[in-house]
Amino acid sequence: MVAKRTNVTRHSHPNAGDTTGAHGCHTTTSTSYYATFQVESGDRMELSVTGTEYGLLAEGDRGKLTFQGTRYLGFEREGMS
């Protein structure tokens, strides 16, 4: 695993029934998590991961990456059973 990044998106919406925003707005925030892996061929691929997986991964981790196309399925560190 060579790199991690997040993407935070914020959207402001007028309160219900108020299309102008004169009565205030509410904001929604979403965070997307990504990890970049370097595979044996030397190619790098960035995959979307869950927040939990993101927290468990560390730059420099080595192990077995499982994926299907561009879909992350799992990562098992070397030396773990």
Side-chain angles (χ1 to χ4, degrees):
M1 215 284 297
V2 294
K4 295 173 19 172
R5 74 175 179 92
T6 59
N7 184 34
V8 179
T9 306
R10 291 182 179 84
H11 297 283
S12 292
H13 309 277
N15 286 327
D18 176 12
T19 58
T20 66
H23 298 291
C25 295
H26 67 276
T27 302
T28 56
T29 303
S30 65
T31 303
S32 300
Y33 301 90
Y34 300 91
T36 302
F37 297 89
Q38 183 169 328
V39 295
E40 290 179 358
S41 66
D43 292 335
R44 291 184 178 201
M45 53 191 319
E46 182 178 71
L47 302 172
S48 177
V49 297
T50 66
T52 301
E53 287 289 337
Y54 182 89
L56 295 173
L57 294 168
E59 291 183 22
D61 281 350
R62 297 177 63 91
K64 180 182 177 184
L65 171 66
T66 306
F67 62 97
Q68 184 175 34
T70 59
R71 186 172 160 229
Y72 173 87
L73 299 177
F75 181 76
E76 184 177 335
R77 280 178 199 77
E78 287 181 350
M80 297 184 77
S81 50

